[in-house]
Amino acid sequence: MLWIDCPWCGPRPETEYRYGGEAHIARPDPAATDDAGWADYLFMRTNTKGVHAERWMHRDGCRRWFNVLRHTVSNEVLAVYPMGTPRPETPRLPGDGAEGA
Amino acid sequence: MAEQPVPQSPLASLADALAATGADGVTLAACPARARLNLRLDPEDGGALEAAGAALGGTLPLAPNTATAAADGWSILWLGPNEWLVCGPADDGAARAGALEAALAGTHHAVTDVGAMYTTLTLAGANARTVLMKGCRLDLHPRAFAPGACAQTALARAQVILHQIGAEPVYELTVRNSFAHYLASWLLDAMAEYRPA
């Protein structure tokens, strides 16, 4: 069971949250994007082994979205930060994949 | 002449079972209908916070997971950084909503009457905390959750607004109507071990 620090409500168990997939995926302009670019936006994710930026929503609590940095091997939650802010720097950890940190 | 529909509590069919509780340190009761207003405003918006507090005769709590008492038996529960639940006597709801609307005119806000959406249960007694702990993962120890604390969380997988109103302890559980019968049944089952043989 993950324990995630909701930025508003404090530490709560994973079962209170809804997972929202990878964070920081910018929606391209549909008029200026070809099919391949649009498919890339819709379907392609990094599948990171290591530190992964992802979105979570506190479904059973304040119902607000925020970003979490989680290590996909150890499941350690490294940072919680608001929507719309850049991904914070994290130190490299043992077990980080090529795309970690 | 057509008959007028009479509002019925979703807990009506459990009335006898609820009335039979209380024998050994824990009592579950259905609260009478009450007014509930969902209030949203920007606390940074100069004056809106104070105006809403003045209209309610109290102060809107800004500390997460806390509730404050307001005038005339009303209480204000923190739900989020710009969201509160305002609860009070059922016959006073429309007047209070009007007073809030008048006080907040010109600010970016929303006052929504959600009174008919929820049912409130009271769980009280020395064993109330251990009953809640069977289905709630929050730390309910008095050092972490004391009178005046409130939280939106999951109890037996149902979304509830948990508000501790007394040190005995006494908890108020505000739950959606559609979950009320399930949650009350679950609580009655969780309380069974404390019932004298």
Side-chain angles (χ1 to χ4, degrees):
Chain A
M1 174 76 72
L2 289 176
W3 278 79
I4 300 171
D5 255 333
C6 170
W8 305 110
C9 302
R12 298 294 179 93
E14 174 190 353
T15 48
E16 289 195 10
Y17 294 92
R18 180 201 194 282
Y19 179 66
E22 188 170 346
H24 306 301
I25 294 176
R27 185 176 189 271
D29 176 5
T33 309
D34 61 5
D35 284 356
W38 192 252
D40 186 61
Y41 158 68
L42 283 183
F43 302 117
M44 302 309 285
R45 299 295 181 262
T46 57
N47 195 24
T48 306
K49 182 181 182 184
V51 180
H52 187 231
E54 53 199 18
R55 303 177 298 174
W56 288 82
M57 189 264 278
H58 193 188
R59 182 195 59 215
D60 284 343
C62 58
R63 296 176 295 281
R64 277 160 181 83
W65 286 92
F66 54 93
N67 291 324
V68 169
L69 280 187
R70 178 177 63 95
H71 197 288
T72 56
V73 178
S74 67
N75 263 335
E76 191 182 352
V77 174
L78 300 164
V80 174
Y81 56 103
M83 282 289 168
T85 56
R87 173 181 168 147
E89 294 291 322
T90 49
R92 274 192 81 83
L93 297 170
D96 272 5
E99 302 192 85
Chain B
M1 196 174 120
E3 282 184 42
Q4 289 293 317
V6 179
Q8 194 180 28
S9 163
L11 302 173
S13 63
L14 291 173
D16 291 344
L18 294 176
T21 66
D24 204 16
V26 58
T27 308
L28 183 66
C31 288
R34 60 176 62 184
R36 298 178 195 87
L37 306 171
N38 184 287
L39 171 62
R40 301 204 58 174
L41 59 86
D42 179 2
E44 309 286 316
D45 189 354
L49 198 67
E50 293 74 19
L56 293 167
T59 313
L60 269 57
L62 286 176
N65 304 323
T66 59
T68 55
D72 307 324
W74 283 71
S75 51
I76 312 170
L77 281 65
W78 183 95
L79 297 186
N82 53 16
E83 186 175 5
W84 292 267
L85 184 72
V86 187
C87 305
D91 52 0
D92 201 14
R96 209 45 79 104
L100 272 174
E101 284 288 0
L104 291 170
T107 67
H108 187 60
H109 72 278
V111 178
T112 314
D113 184 351
V114 294
M117 187 164 100
Y118 292 112
T119 298
T120 300
L121 289 154
T122 311
L123 187 70
N127 290 323
R129 188 165 70 91
T130 48
V131 169
L132 279 186
M133 282 164 61
K134 295 182 185 188
C136 178
R137 297 187 64 101
L138 278 187
D139 183 1
L140 296 174
H141 190 277
R143 75 172 167 252
F145 205 87
C150 76
Q152 295 184 92
T153 185
L155 176 62
R157 285 168 290 167
Q159 191 181 3
V160 297
I161 301 170
L162 188 63
H163 179 199
Q164 186 172 347
I165 55 173
E168 188 191 354
V170 185
Y171 299 98
E172 273 190 358
L173 310 168
T174 301
V175 61
R176 285 172 190 241
N177 288 338
S178 49
F179 282 91
H181 189 277
Y182 157 74
L183 191 70
S185 304
W186 183 90
L187 283 166
L188 287 168
D189 181 61
M191 290 157 62
E193 69 169 288
Y194 303 106
R195 201 174 300 146

